[in-house]
Amino acid sequence: MGAQNNEPLDIAVIAPSRFPIREPYAGGLEVVVAKEVRALRERGHRVTLFAAEGSDGHEPRFEFTTMASAAGFGDSFYPPGGYESDAAEFHRLMDHLAVSQFDVILNHSLSHVPLLRAVDVGAEIITTLHCPQLSAMQEAFDQQGSAAGRVLAVSRSVLKTWRLPRGAEVIPNGVDTRIWRPQPHLQAAESQSPRGAAEPPRAVWSGRIVPEKAPHLAVDAALRAGLTLDLAGRIGDNIYMREVLAPRLRRAGNAVRVHGALGCDSLVPLVAGASVALVTPCWEEPFGLTAVEALACGTPVVALARGGIREILSGQPGVVLVEPGRDPASGLAAAIPTALTRDRAATARAAAATFSHETRIDRVEARLRGLLVGAAS
């Protein structure tokens, strides 16, 4: 094994099982896993990705069955029998890992099975917590104690919702500033119509279209503030889309453009060319990757101060945080004029310095080598 010096490591990465790790990414978790795998491979490590069918660069012999097209599937629930099938596939993967030769296993899944089966695997398992407490995973931590492996978390906000046998280190997510960066020519183009008349500012919202992300609040806030809105994302809850968001979109007419799920080639220009990004969580947001992506482009952010958003973005240049209150859309709308005055260049510089993906990978890599050297000594 390569832990004694700077030799490459043999690393297994367990991805979440619901969606493929490929563009357009289903959500922030899939983005984080894809970037981590790519960065570790660029550094020379031998990385085996265990992920859902259709993923890029994964090990197809042990792929997970995606359920995105199954009737009764949503981001927060499985179709009938789906939970049991998913667990069975994780057990099959853990059977394989128990007889494999990896230096370390990075677990980004939302399954309890890798925690229960950590004792069967010779390699160190490090689980990253990307969301508030999930009951099955918490029960596994309670049952296995320190035998469940090491733990990282993307924010203190996430970490405080879990009971962990030996705590965890917080390593925030980062953005690839080679991709998410200012594009001033887009901003200049957006500021003028073909006839030379000034266009109204344009807002952008991106993310999963689910109740906890609340894009309907972005629609309400943009219209109240007199802005047009670009809304980009994958529908993760059909009932929410049909009953909450769709009626607002019909009333908004041409003031809101809906783009669906976009790959980086289309999403980055959309975000970088906007006057402001709206971030509207109605839950204790674990991190808020879409906000950081916007800031890295120099696009100011107006965000509801929930969970990791408050923790990660407080005091960050280019950010206006809004207390949720009883009428969050009004609060967001009232904050937009302030955001429009923020220095875009300073916003991008500060975001790149604070949320560099390379810095995150430096910390992850150091953690891996430190654990392995310690285990060998």
Side-chain angles (χ1 to χ4, degrees):
M1 294 190 180
Q4 297 302 315
N5 47 43
N6 289 327
E7 294 177 10
L9 302 176
D10 288 298
I11 303 171
V13 174
I14 306 177
S17 60
R18 287 172 164 247
F19 301 99
I21 306 300
R22 70 168 186 230
E23 288 200 71
Y25 296 110
L29 177 49
E30 288 75 18
V31 172
V32 169
V33 172
K35 289 189 302 182
E36 181 174 277
V37 169
R38 185 181 306 118
L40 289 171
R41 286 174 174 168
E42 287 175 352
R43 294 185 180 205
H45 300 293
R46 296 177 290 269
V47 181
T48 303
L49 172 64
F50 297 99
E53 57 186 327
S55 295
D56 290 336
H58 74 306
E59 170 52 84
R61 293 179 301 160
F62 297 93
E63 66 186 11
F64 305 115
T65 303
T66 57
M67 303 181 195
S69 61
F73 177 83
D75 280 20
S76 301
F77 44 86
Y78 289 92
Y83 179 83
E84 293 77 11
S85 296
D86 189 61
E89 292 188 343
F90 272 102
H91 276 293
R92 177 172 171 262
L93 171 59
M94 297 308 292
D95 288 340
H96 169 67
L97 293 178
V99 296
S100 301
Q101 296 295 314
F102 288 103
D103 291 312
V104 67
I105 299 169
L106 300 179
N107 174 32
H108 292 280
S109 78
L110 304 181
S111 171
H112 65 291
V113 174
L115 304 176
L116 289 178
R117 298 288 306 277
V119 294
D120 301 330
V121 178
E124 184 81 48
I125 292 184
I126 303 177
T127 295
T128 297
L129 302 176
H130 293 273
C131 64
Q133 184 188 115
L134 299 173
S135 59
M137 288 182 66
Q138 182 61 66
E139 290 171 8
F141 278 124
D142 293 341
Q143 178 179 331
Q144 298 297 102
S146 60
R150 306 277 181 168
V151 180
L152 304 176
V154 299
S155 67
R156 293 188 300 275
S157 176
V158 163
L159 183 57
K160 71 181 182 182
T161 69
W162 294 83
R163 299 185 306 275
L164 300 176
R166 52 183 175 187
E169 179 182 354
V170 174
I171 300 182
N173 291 325
V175 293
D176 187 342
T177 53
R178 296 171 299 182
I179 298 172
W180 296 95
R181 55 189 176 84
Q183 300 186 34
H185 64 285
L186 294 176
Q187 192 63 24
E190 284 288 337
S191 67
Q192 296 291 320
S193 72
R195 297 182 180 180
E199 291 282 356
R202 178 175 63 84
V204 68
W205 184 98
S206 61
R208 295 182 298 122
I209 297 178
V210 292
E212 61 267 27
K213 299 290 187 177
H216 68 280
L217 293 179
V219 174
D220 292 349
L223 296 181
R224 292 182 192 184
L227 276 66
T228 58
L229 174 69
D230 282 299
L231 192 151
R234 174 186 59 82
I235 299 172
D237 188 313
N238 287 314
I239 295 175
Y240 168 78
M241 179 66 190
R242 181 176 65 249
E243 297 184 358
V244 179
L245 184 57
R248 283 174 165 82
L249 296 177
R250 287 193 292 269
R251 291 194 296 269
N254 294 333
V256 179
R257 296 183 292 183
V258 180
H259 299 269
L262 298 177
C264 282
D265 286 349
S266 298
L267 184 59
V268 173
L270 193 73
V271 173
S275 300
V276 63
L278 304 178
V279 181
T280 55
C282 280
W283 68 328
E284 295 307 296
E285 179 68 44
F287 183 79
L289 187 61
T290 59
V292 177
E293 290 169 343
L295 294 172
C297 294
T299 303
V301 168
V302 174
L304 294 178
R306 299 290 302 269
I309 292 286
R310 185 191 300 275
E311 172 190 338
I312 299 297
L313 298 186
S314 291
Q316 188 70 20
V319 176
V320 181
L321 293 179
V322 176
E323 294 300 325
R326 292 187 177 182
D327 187 2
S330 291
L332 292 164
I336 287 172
T338 299
L340 295 178
T341 67
R342 297 299 167 89
D343 185 313
R344 296 178 70 96
T347 293
R349 285 195 302 270
T354 306
F355 300 109
S356 163
H357 182 60
E358 286 299 306
T359 299
R360 177 184 181 275
I361 295 300
D362 285 344
R363 293 182 62 183
V364 170
E365 191 177 32
R367 179 66 180 263
L368 302 187
R369 293 196 182 279
L371 286 175
L372 295 171
V373 169
S377 61

